[in-house]
Amino acid sequence: MPKEKKVCAYCGESRFGLVRHFVGFHHLCTWFCKERFLERRARELADYRQLLNRVSHNRTVLRYRH
């Protein structure tokens, strides 16, 4: 089993109090860090989807698929 990290996945500080927030296997120190982490992850996923959409609809790529 991997050793638990003692830092927040968003801000990188080791200031866990009585409550530790989790998103998957990511440990977050405050509710604010949790919300920011989820926003950043949603933005990165949206950017990645847009990239895949542009690549899949690119005419030069479609020409070589046949």
Side-chain angles (χ1 to χ4, degrees), residues 4 9 11-12 15 17-18 21-22 32 38 42 44 49 56 65:
E4 179 182 320
C11 65
R15 57 179 182 160
L18 295 175
H21 300 271
F22 298 97
F32 180 74
L38 290 173
E44 288 173 354
R49 282 190 198 117
S56 67
R65 282 190 180 170

Side-chain angles (χ1 to χ4, degrees), residues 10-45:
Y10 181 74
C11 65
E13 296 182 15
S14 59
R15 57 179 182 160
F16 295 115
L18 295 175
V19 178
R20 185 181 292 202
H21 300 271
F22 298 97
V23 175
F25 291 105
H26 300 283
H27 300 263
L28 301 147
C29 59
T30 61
W31 179 81
F32 180 74
C33 283
K34 179 181 176 182
E35 291 298 315
R36 295 291 176 165
F37 178 80
L38 290 173
E39 289 173 5
R40 182 178 67 187
R41 189 170 73 170
R43 189 171 42 249
E44 288 173 354
L45 287 174

Side-chain angles (χ1 to χ4, degrees), residues 42-54:
R43 189 171 42 249
E44 288 173 354
L45 287 174
D47 291 343
Y48 187 67
R49 282 190 198 117
Q50 286 178 354
L51 174 71
L52 291 178
N53 193 21
R54 278 182 280 178

